[in-house]
Amino acid sequence: MSRHIVIVGLGLIGGSMAKALHGFEDFDLIGVDVSEPTLRYALEQDIVDRVEPDPVKALAEGDLVFLCLHPQGIVDFMAQHRDHFKPGAMVTDVCGVKGAILEGAKVLPDTVSFVGGHPMAGTEFSGIQHALVNMFHGAHYILTPNDRSRPEHVELMERLAVHIGCANIVKTTPENHDAIIAYTSQMMHVIAVAVCDDPSLFQYQGFEGDSFRGCTRVAALDVPLWTQLFTMNSKALGSALEELEGNIRTYRQAIEAGDTTTLVEKLSYSAARKRKMNRLELESGAVGREGKKPKV
Amino acid sequence: MSRHIVIVGLGLIGGSMAKALHGFEDFDLIGVDVSEPTLRYALEQDIVDRVEPDPVKALAEGDLVFLCLHPQGIVDFMAQHRDHFKPGAMVTDVCGVKGAILEGAKVLPDTVSFVGGHPMAGTEFSGIQHALVNMFHGAHYILTPNDRSRPEHVELMERLAVHIGCANIVKTTPENHDAIIAYTSQMMHVIAVAVCDDPSLFQYQGFEGDSFRGCTRVAALDVPLWTQLFTMNSKALGSALEELEGNIRTYRQAIEAGDTTTLVEKLSYSAARKRKMNRLELESGAVGREGKKPKV
């Protein structure tokens, strides 16, 4: 008898996870979504083996449950369905914040083991129609296991990450994950929207080059998702932004004062750091999409 | 008898300008540089028709003089050689700031006409070895003529811009040019270095994705050049940075306060602006390198 993976939320990531999980050990795939057309599409395209509109029924069979909803949706789902998980089940998520999710997972009964996860991949699109079987190829899979995560479940996640093509698994604390993400990703999104809020945006349109496009590309973001990601990681993101504000202010003050000595010193420091980073990145072979490295 | 273009400073832009100017009307090209190997290279590679290590001799023949030095170098050169320009000559520059250059050009005698220019093109490399004949293809050529610029010289620059492949000529004031550049280019460079100054840079290396790479790519900048560009445009850049600091702070405060209402409102506004900008950019056919559009 095969085991069952239940994927709750068949969006871009849930759909990609389903596609990538085909043939993983003896699992079959049950898709859960509130949208009837999404379920029909998932079935027609063979993205899952079965669909189940009622999460309670699906959870009763789920040996491994993937929560692929928006952050707040994951927290709410766990609270609402805390008593519906199959005893012995492993529950995981794919969310870009971890502290708030781990906090939410505390409602789960002792019969269930939760391992927080973040496969670092994505595109600027959303919805199952844009799901990709190779979405996770070369990506980092970050896991935040704790003392409630059973070792055999962590091992299962490690095999699963290999199956879907991840370059590596990184185990860390929720706090460290959230600090990493605040700096490497969330702050980039705040910068992009902050630049686009300037009244000059349309006034000077047509004069922007690659540096402007590179900096602002991600400003066309999914508002409800990023509102949740930002506020559910407010501590780490707030402190990254405060550091950035201070750094920009220091540059501005040196520029306004015409203090070329300080400016040369600071720019030399920063440019050297960036060059060193480029070297390290080249050596490690990192390239490509959000958080992706080529598979090694 | 042919007329003479004197190009002072055979670096990336001066060298590219020379390559692109071949065959322009009846002009021949005289290259001036302080570096003997650069002059030899320019001659061997047929980048110019003649080289002249002594600027005084070259200027005596120059009907059109291109100043392709670093910003302060241009100001200093005009002061030092104010009496060496050929009467009736037109002098122009290629510098990314205009107010300070126009101020410096006031030393020139009335027998010389100065038309400030900025062909918006470049790469992350420097030196004549990286000069490209198609460097200016599809680029904006910004001119800042004033009452001392003779109309026939402005017309000459317009024909020249077409010859080197620019998409269009934009005539504006030095103040407006500097405000455009402060926002669309210089600010992006300050953001990039400010992000790279964060102690987290190496700690979190390997987790950065496209958004991080896009934002920080230009941080590996030419320190002496950008020190001059920043300080010679301190007013416009200072005010663009102050606006940015305020925008980031507003986002941070909403995030730290968990104020999702404000956040949804602000993110919706910014994301909509960026989407509108993408649409306008698509419609105008803009793509590619710093300030470049395809030739139309």
Side-chain angles (χ1 to χ4, degrees), chain B residues 116-188:
Chain B
H118 180 199
M120 289 184 64
T123 69
E124 63 272 45
F125 303 109
S126 59
I128 194 167
Q129 290 79 3
H130 296 107
L132 299 170
V133 65
N134 65 348
M135 178 67 85
F136 310 103
H137 281 201
H140 300 289
Y141 205 130
I142 305 187
L143 290 184
T144 59
N146 60 17
D147 51 10
R148 292 187 53 193
S149 314
R150 284 162 47 192
E152 64 269 33
H153 284 159
V154 178
E155 286 161 24
L156 173 65
M157 285 305 291
E158 289 177 339
R159 298 197 303 276
L160 184 148
V162 170
H163 182 84
I164 65 173
C166 288
N168 62 349
I169 288 235
V170 181
K171 287 180 217 159
T172 187
T173 62
E175 294 72 28
N176 194 43
H177 168 276
D178 289 354
I180 291 172
I181 289 302
Y183 175 65
T184 60
S185 168
Q186 296 189 337
M187 188 165 87
M188 301 304 118

Side-chain angles (χ1 to χ4, degrees), chain A residues 2 16 92 95 99 116 165 167 175-176 189 193 209 213 225 248:
Chain A
S2 64
S16 297
T92 189
C95 176
E175 294 73 30
N176 194 45
H189 289 74
V193 291
R213 289 193 199 95
L225 173 62
I248 294 175

Side-chain angles (χ1 to χ4, degrees), chain B residues 11-287:
Chain B
L12 178 75
I13 299 299
S16 297
M17 189 57 83
K19 285 184 172 185
L21 280 173
H22 277 268
F24 176 55
E25 299 185 356
D26 62 338
F27 287 101
D28 63 12
L29 304 172
I30 306 173
V32 175
D33 202 281
V34 290
S35 155
E36 182 52 44
T38 296
L39 291 178
R40 206 162 48 237
Y41 182 90
L43 211 50
E44 282 167 6
Q45 302 285 320
D46 282 327
I47 295 173
V48 291
D49 299 303
R50 271 198 290 151
V51 297
E52 177 51 71
D54 181 0
V56 180
K57 286 190 191 160
L59 290 179
E61 299 189 71
D63 300 293
L64 170 50
V65 180
F66 259 99
L67 301 177
C68 304
L69 305 165
H70 276 198
Q72 190 57 50
I74 293 173
V75 171
D76 296 345
F77 187 93
M78 291 190 292
Q80 191 183 345
H81 294 288
R82 63 183 301 280
D83 299 322
H84 305 146
F85 291 92
K86 183 175 169 181
M90 177 195 151
V91 183
T92 188
D93 73 311
V94 295
C95 179
V97 293
K98 292 272 70 76
I101 299 293
L102 269 286
E103 195 55 38
K106 288 182 178 166
V107 301
L108 296 177
D110 288 343
T111 53
V112 167
S113 158
F114 186 84
V115 181
H118 180 199
M120 289 184 64
T123 69
E124 63 272 45
F125 303 109
S126 59
I128 194 167
Q129 290 79 3
H130 296 107
L132 299 170
V133 65
N134 65 348
M135 178 67 85
F136 310 103
H137 281 201
H140 300 289
Y141 205 130
I142 305 187
L143 290 184
T144 59
N146 60 17
D147 51 10
R148 292 187 53 193
S149 314
R150 284 162 47 192
E152 64 269 33
H153 284 159
V154 178
E155 286 161 24
L156 173 65
M157 285 305 291
E158 289 177 339
R159 298 197 303 276
L160 184 148
V162 170
H163 182 84
I164 65 173
C166 288
N168 62 349
I169 288 235
V170 181
K171 287 180 217 159
T172 187
T173 62
E175 294 72 28
N176 194 43
H177 168 276
D178 289 354
I180 291 172
I181 289 302
Y183 175 65
T184 60
S185 168
Q186 296 189 337
M187 188 165 87
M188 301 304 118
H189 289 75
V190 175
I191 290 171
V193 290
V195 167
C196 290
D197 280 0
D198 193 299
S200 307
L201 184 70
F202 295 112
Q203 196 185 342
Y204 299 152
Q205 169 129 27
F207 291 97
E208 65 284 3
D210 273 358
S211 62
F212 192 88
R213 289 193 199 95
C215 179
T216 60
R217 182 182 57 84
V218 293
L221 42 69
D222 177 336
V223 174
L225 173 62
W226 284 92
T227 299
Q228 292 184 16
L229 290 171
F230 287 164
T231 50
M232 291 172 91
N233 196 20
S234 60
K235 196 153 163 275
L237 180 55
S239 103
L241 288 175
E242 209 165 349
E243 177 89 24
L244 175 71
E245 288 166 46
N247 286 340
I248 294 175
R249 191 169 48 244
T250 310
Y251 274 106
R252 176 171 57 81
Q253 287 164 347
I255 289 163
E256 287 177 338
D259 181 353
T260 51
T261 312
T262 299
L263 214 46
V264 164
E265 204 174 281
K266 281 186 67 62
L267 290 176
S268 302
Y269 173 77
S270 316
R273 282 166 73 84
K274 177 60 179 171
R275 285 200 192 90
K276 181 179 168 191
M277 201 192 177
N278 289 345
R279 265 198 320 278
L280 292 170
E281 195 170 322
L282 266 178
E283 284 163 23
S284 77
V287 289

